[in-house]
C-alpha cells in the first residue's frame, strides 16, 4: 500500500481544490431527483424475512435494487445525471466494472446520446455484454477498474468528451440517495425508526447519497459504509485523512473493488458517515449465500456487502432495527 498525500491539511486542501465548484449532495436535490428519475428504477421493494432476523439477532429491512432492467441501483444516479447534462454531440465517457456503465448506457439510449465505457480486461463478461446490448461502446483496457478509469479519463480529454466519474458528481449521489428517501418514507408510515443503515462502499456515490438523506431526515440513525477488506482504500482514507492508494483490490466484490479514492466522495463522507467497516472474502461469500437462502435472491458480492458487515461485525447492533441495500444482481457466470 502507498499513501499518495501525506498529512491532513494537504488532504483537505486537495479535496477543496477538487470540489470547490461543486456543492455536496442535498436533501432538496434528492427530493427533486425522486420526482424525475425514470420510474422503472424507483420504489423498489423493502422486504423483511423473519428467518433472516433470527439468524442475525436483529430486525433487518432490505431494500432490493435487483429487479429493474439493469439489476442495479445505478440507474437512479445515471438517469438523474443525464437529465441535468446539457445535450451535446460528443459521447459520454466513463469507466465501470459493469453496473454503472449499464446505467449510463440505459440513460444514453433513452436520450439518443452515445456512451463509451472503459472496463478492465478482467471485467465480468456478462456485465460487458449487457453494456453493449444497451448500446454502449465498451473498450477493455487495464488490468483493473482504476487502470480502466485512467484510460477513460485520458480518452475523454483527448477527444473533448464529458467524463463521468462515479462517486465524483453531486447528481449521481443524489440519484442514489433516493433509495434512503424511499426507505424513510416507508418506515415513517409504519412508525418505525432506524437505528442503523449499512451501505456498500466503492466509489462512494451510494453511501454519500444515502448518508445525506439520513442526516437530514433521520439524524439518530447511524450510517455505516462497508468495504471489502481486500479493497480498503476508501476506509483508510476516510479514517486517516490521507489519500490512500492500494496496490491491488483483489476481491470477488468487483463493484467495490476500488484501490484509488474519489476525493469528492471522501469530502462528502466527512459529514454523512459515522463508521466504515471492512469485511473478509469469507463473509462476502456467506452474505451472498445468505441472500439466496433467506430472501430467495441472487445478489452479487458487492451488493451483499451490508449483509456481510452484519455477519462479521454486527454484534453491537443486536436487537436493533437496521436497513441495508441489496444493490446488484449481475453475478459472474464464467467462473465457479
Amino acid at each position: 500500500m502507498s499513501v499518495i498525500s501525506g498529512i491532513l491539511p494537504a488532504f483537505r486542501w486537495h479535496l477543496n481544490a477538487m470540489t470547490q465548484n461543486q456543492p455536496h449532495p442535498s436533501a432538496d436535490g434528492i427530493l427533486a431527483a425522486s420526482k424525475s428519475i425514470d420510474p422503472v428504477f424507483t420504489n423498489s421493494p423493502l422486504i423483511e424475512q423473519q428467518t433472516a432476523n433470527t439468524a442475525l439477532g436483529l430486525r433487518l429491512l432490505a431494500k432490493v435494487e435487483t429487479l429493474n432492467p439493469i439489476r442495479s441501483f445505478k440507474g437512479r444516479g445515471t438517469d438523474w445525471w443525464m437529465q441535468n447534462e446539457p445535450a451535446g454531440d460528443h459521447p459520454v465517457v466513463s469507466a465501470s466494472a459493469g453496473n454503472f456503465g449499464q446505467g449510463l448506457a440505459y440513460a444514453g439510449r433513452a436520450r439518443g446520446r452515445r456512451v463509451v465505457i472503459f472496463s478492465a480486461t478482467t471485467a465480468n463478461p456478462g456485465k460487458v455484454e449487457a453494456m453493449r446490448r444497451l448500446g454502449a461502446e465498451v473498450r477493455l483496457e487495464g488490468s483493473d477498474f482504476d487502470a480502466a478509469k485512467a484510460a477513460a479519463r485520458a480518452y475523454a480529454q483527448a477527444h473533448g468528451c464529458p467524463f463521468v466519474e462515479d462517486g465524483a458528481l453531486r447528481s449521481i449521489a443524489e440519484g442514489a440517495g433516493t433509495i434512503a428517501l424511499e426507505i424513510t418514507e416507508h418506515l415513517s408510515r409504519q412508525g418505525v425508526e432506524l437505528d442503523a443503515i449499512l451501505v456498500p462502499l466503492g466509489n462512494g456515490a451510494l453511501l454519500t447519497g444515502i448518508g445525506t438523506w439520513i442526516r437530514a431526515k433521520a439524524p439518530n440513525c447511524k450510517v455505516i459504509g462497508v468495504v471489502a477488506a481486500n479493497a480498503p482504500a476508501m476506509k483508510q482514507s476516510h479514517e486517516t485523512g490521507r489519500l490512500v492508494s492500494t496496490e491491488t483490490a483483489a476481491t470477488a466484490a468487483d463493484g467495490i473493488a476500488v484501490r484509488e479514492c474519489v476525493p469528492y466522495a471522501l469530502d462528502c463522507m466527512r459529514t454523512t458517515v459515522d463508521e466504515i467497516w471492512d469485511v473478509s472474502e469469507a463473509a462476502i461469500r456467506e452474505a451472498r449465500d445468505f441472500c439466496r437462502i433467506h430472501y430467495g435472491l441472487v445478489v452479487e458480492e458487492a451488493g451483499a456487502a451490508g449483509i456481510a458487515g452484519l455477519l462479521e461485525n454486527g454484534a453491537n447492533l443486536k436487537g436493533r432495527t437496521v436497513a441495508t441495500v441489496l444493490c446488484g444482481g449481475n453475478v459472474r457466470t464464467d467462473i465457479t
Side-chain angles (χ1 to χ4, degrees), residues 8-336:
L8 184 62
F11 173 58
R12 295 299 181 220
W13 177 88
H14 179 69
L15 290 181
N16 289 337
M18 291 287 291
T19 64
Q20 60 184 350
N21 295 321
Q22 185 181 197
H24 286 189
S26 70
D28 287 343
I30 291 169
L31 181 61
S34 72
K35 297 175 180 177
S36 298
I37 292 172
D38 187 335
V40 75
F41 295 114
T42 58
N43 296 309
S44 54
L46 185 66
I47 65 174
E48 181 178 6
Q49 286 286 4
Q50 189 55 52
T51 58
N53 292 349
T54 300
L56 295 168
L58 48 80
R59 184 181 184 188
L60 180 63
L61 301 152
K63 186 72 161 164
V64 181
E65 293 287 310
T66 65
L67 305 177
N68 59 61
I70 65 171
R71 295 189 288 193
S72 165
F73 78 94
K74 299 286 189 178
R76 293 174 182 257
T78 52
D79 188 78
W80 184 234
W81 177 84
M82 193 75 79
Q83 287 186 42
N84 289 279
E85 174 68 9
D89 296 329
H90 290 298
V92 170
V93 178
S94 189
S96 176
N99 291 347
F100 185 75
Q102 288 181 64
L104 271 182
Y106 191 97
R109 185 178 68 176
R111 295 167 177 84
R113 190 75 182 267
R114 288 176 56 211
V115 173
V116 178
I117 302 295
F118 283 72
S119 294
T121 56
T122 54
N124 180 338
K127 292 182 179 181
V128 171
E129 174 56 29
M131 288 187 285
R132 288 175 171 155
R133 190 168 58 246
L134 289 167
E137 176 187 342
V138 182
R139 299 182 174 220
L140 302 180
E141 292 195 26
S143 59
D144 63 16
F145 168 74
D146 289 288
K149 184 192 287 190
R153 185 180 282 110
Y155 178 92
Q157 184 174 5
H159 293 83
C161 301
F163 176 67
V164 190
E165 184 177 8
D166 191 9
L169 295 168
R170 176 186 182 181
S171 56
I172 291 173
E174 288 177 341
T178 60
I179 292 172
L181 179 153
E182 292 172 11
I183 291 173
T184 59
E185 288 189 344
H186 180 97
L187 296 181
S188 178
R189 291 191 293 269
Q190 299 181 347
V192 174
E193 292 188 4
L194 280 179
D195 295 304
I197 185 165
L198 279 78
V199 184
L201 172 57
N203 288 307
L206 181 63
L207 179 59
T208 58
I210 285 178
T212 295
W213 184 263
I214 294 296
R215 280 287 181 269
K217 303 299 180 179
N220 293 326
C221 175
K222 182 175 288 188
V223 178
I224 301 169
V226 183
V227 302
N230 285 1
M234 290 291 279
K235 178 179 189 290
Q236 292 178 358
S237 297
H238 176 68
E239 292 177 349
T240 65
R242 304 171 181 226
L243 284 175
V244 175
S245 175
T246 60
E247 293 181 2
T248 63
T251 173
D254 63 344
I256 56 174
V258 172
R259 60 178 175 80
E260 294 185 1
C261 303
V262 179
Y264 176 73
L266 287 169
D267 196 38
C268 296
M269 286 163 54
R270 289 187 298 117
T271 56
T272 57
V273 177
D274 293 293
E275 297 180 35
I276 308 293
W277 294 353
D278 58 32
V279 291
S280 67
E281 293 298 293
I284 290 170
R285 290 192 298 271
E286 185 180 354
R288 180 194 59 195
D289 293 340
F290 187 98
C291 292
R292 176 180 53 81
I293 293 167
H294 293 284
Y295 300 117
L297 293 172
V298 174
V299 179
E300 62 188 87
E301 288 85 353
I307 299 284
L310 290 173
L311 290 169
E312 196 159 68
N313 303 310
N316 290 337
L317 293 176
K318 297 293 185 183
R320 304 294 184 88
T321 300
V322 180
T324 194
V325 188
L326 306 180
C327 52
N330 298 300
V331 299
R332 293 192 77 121
T333 58
D334 61 319
I335 57 176
T336 56

